[in-house]
Amino acid sequence: MSTYLQTIEQVYEQAARQPDASLCCTQAPVWNLPDLRIPPIMLQMNYGCGSTVNPRDLKPSDTILYVGVGGGLEALQFAYFTRRPGGVVAIDPVAAMREKARANFVEATRLNPWFRPEFVQILDGNALALPVASSSASVLAQNCLFNVFKEADLAAALAEVVRVLKPGGFFATSDPITPTPLPDAFRDDAVARARCLSGCQTLDEYLATMVRAGFGRIEVRARFPYRLVTPAEYPSLTEAVLLESIEVVAHKVPDNFDGSAIFTGRTALYTGPDDVFTDASGAVLPCGIPVPVSDAAALRLARHPAIVVTGPTWHARGGGCC
Ligand SMILES: C[S@@+](CC[C@H](N)C(=O)[O-])C[C@H]1O[C@@H](n2cnc3c(N)ncnc32)[C@H](O)[C@@H]1O
């Protein structure tokens, strides 16, 4: 195993033994649902940088694989929907983290009469070689883990995601990104990388990596300021950088007319004279109603004199025509 991956496991072994609220500073709201009580220890061990799966995307029949269990917060939230053994499988290579998550699920059982520990199966495993069968999960999620991987390992981790997802399934992911490429000396700081700071890609790199992995539809669901890193804290930085966090949902579906479709919240609005505009790409635009479209479709449709295209909101909620 590369030394940087060993450093990452050491950082999280320590974070399992001694919860560290400063490790990741997510402001993402936790789910506030009837009869769901999150144990305080899971909140202290919220090592994510956003949210992954939105409850509106889940079905009780889903089989969800969660990579990098942490304190178990998101896995518990997902189990709220699946409520059956094997409904949620969580993997982690760090024995101390798996042990801590198991203890946290015992506490969750005490607080939530509907929950049983077997609703979340915790496995020893690594994102680079997932210990589950191909096409076995309808949903796969990771929160603030994949940004720590260097390029080749990230490609391997994403290839594993695509292998394990069922056709039509989706990958819900949250990671920090950087507005400009980070200096090499900072990128080489393995502890900063483990703390989800120095491995960040730019948004364009992040989305291009997803496209290369083979997802046919990629939606940027949220984008928000995450954390300021400064030369005073990290001397290998030449200037302060405000990292952002993104939440992305990538679907294992075939490419559409324009190739892999990236949705960033753009819409296309047909202004008439007909009741509806259609074309060979699959565009269906009822007159006067903004319809979500991918960035590539937006560029193409903007050339039509009767179509107005709106800019990215960085909040693509799903749906749309092309
Ligand atoms: C930043 S924490 C995020 C934890 C959790 N997802 C959350 O949002 O609180 C990263 C997690 O991934 C685990 N991890 C580290 N290296 C990993 C690897 N190669 N494959 C899978 N998980 C790994 C760590 O032990 C830790 O639980």
Side-chain angles (χ1 to χ4, degrees):
M1 194 198 305
S2 330
T3 46
Y4 93 91
L5 290 173
Q6 285 170 0
T7 303
I8 289 162
E9 293 197 8
Q10 285 158 6
V11 165
Y12 287 101
E13 186 180 336
Q14 177 62 23
R17 297 195 194 291
Q18 181 63 52
D20 176 0
S22 74
L23 182 54
C24 296
C25 45
T26 178
Q27 309 280 326
V30 293
W31 294 4
N32 223 337
L33 296 170
D35 299 328
L36 175 61
R37 292 191 60 205
I38 309 286
I41 182 66
M42 287 189 176
L43 296 175
Q44 281 169 38
M45 293 182 68
N46 185 358
Y47 297 146
C49 48
S51 303
T52 58
V53 178
N54 188 306
R56 72 169 187 251
D57 294 321
L58 283 182
K59 304 181 293 302
S61 60
D62 274 322
T63 302
I64 305 166
L65 182 67
Y66 191 63
V67 183
V69 68
L73 168 65
E74 287 207 298
L76 174 65
Q77 293 179 152
F78 303 161
Y80 179 86
F81 281 84
T82 53
R83 299 192 186 199
R84 63 176 199 284
V88 180
V89 176
I91 70 128
D92 208 292
V94 178
M97 193 62 88
R98 295 194 303 275
E99 207 176 293
K100 185 68 182 158
R102 283 198 183 95
N104 294 352
F105 285 120
V106 170
E107 177 62 2
T109 313
R110 199 179 65 75
L111 297 176
N112 296 275
W114 56 269
F115 181 72
R116 302 208 309 270
E118 57 270 30
F119 288 176
V120 181
Q121 186 186 6
I122 301 177
L123 299 180
D124 180 6
N126 197 305
L128 308 184
L130 294 171
V132 294
S134 300
S135 300
S136 58
S138 55
V139 178
L140 202 150
Q142 77 80 27
N143 197 340
C144 219
L145 169 65
F146 281 23
N147 68 90
V148 305
F149 294 136
K150 294 188 176 174
E151 196 177 336
D153 289 332
L154 177 58
L158 288 170
E160 279 294 86
V161 171
V162 173
R163 177 184 69 80
V164 164
L165 272 179
K166 295 180 184 185
F170 69 88
F171 175 43
T173 175
S174 171
D175 276 308
I177 54 166
T178 174
T180 49
L182 295 166
D184 286 344
F186 186 49
R187 293 184 68 77
D188 289 342
D189 180 335
V191 173
R193 188 174 272 275
R195 296 179 73 87
C196 304
L197 300 174
S198 67
C200 303
Q201 297 176 303
T202 63
L203 180 62
D204 285 348
E205 287 166 348
Y206 193 95
L207 295 175
T209 307
M210 293 287 223
V211 169
R212 278 197 299 277
F215 294 101
R217 179 185 172 105
I218 299 159
E219 297 160 359
V220 180
R221 291 279 182 100
R223 176 181 180 178
F224 48 90
Y226 173 59
R227 185 161 173 179
L228 186 71
V229 281
T230 63
E233 201 184 354
Y234 293 100
S236 54
L237 280 172
T238 47
E239 57 185 354
V241 183
L242 177 57
L243 302 177
E244 292 177 291
S245 191
I246 47 170
E247 297 169 3
V248 171
V249 170
H251 299 260
K252 184 176 170 179
V253 294
D255 287 358
N256 77 6
F257 181 84
D258 297 292
S260 181
I262 296 175
F263 285 75
T264 59
R266 294 179 195 268
T267 66
L269 174 67
Y270 174 58
T271 58
D274 298 324
D275 287 346
V276 60
F277 170 91
T278 57
D279 73 6
S281 75
V284 181
L285 308 177
C287 185
I289 298 177
V291 176
V293 291
S294 70
D295 289 1
L299 263 181
R300 183 168 41 72
L301 292 166
R303 290 186 213 117
H304 193 288
I307 294 176
V308 175
V309 163
T310 60
T313 59
W314 307 110
H315 187 75
R317 293 183 298 171
C321 63
C322 58

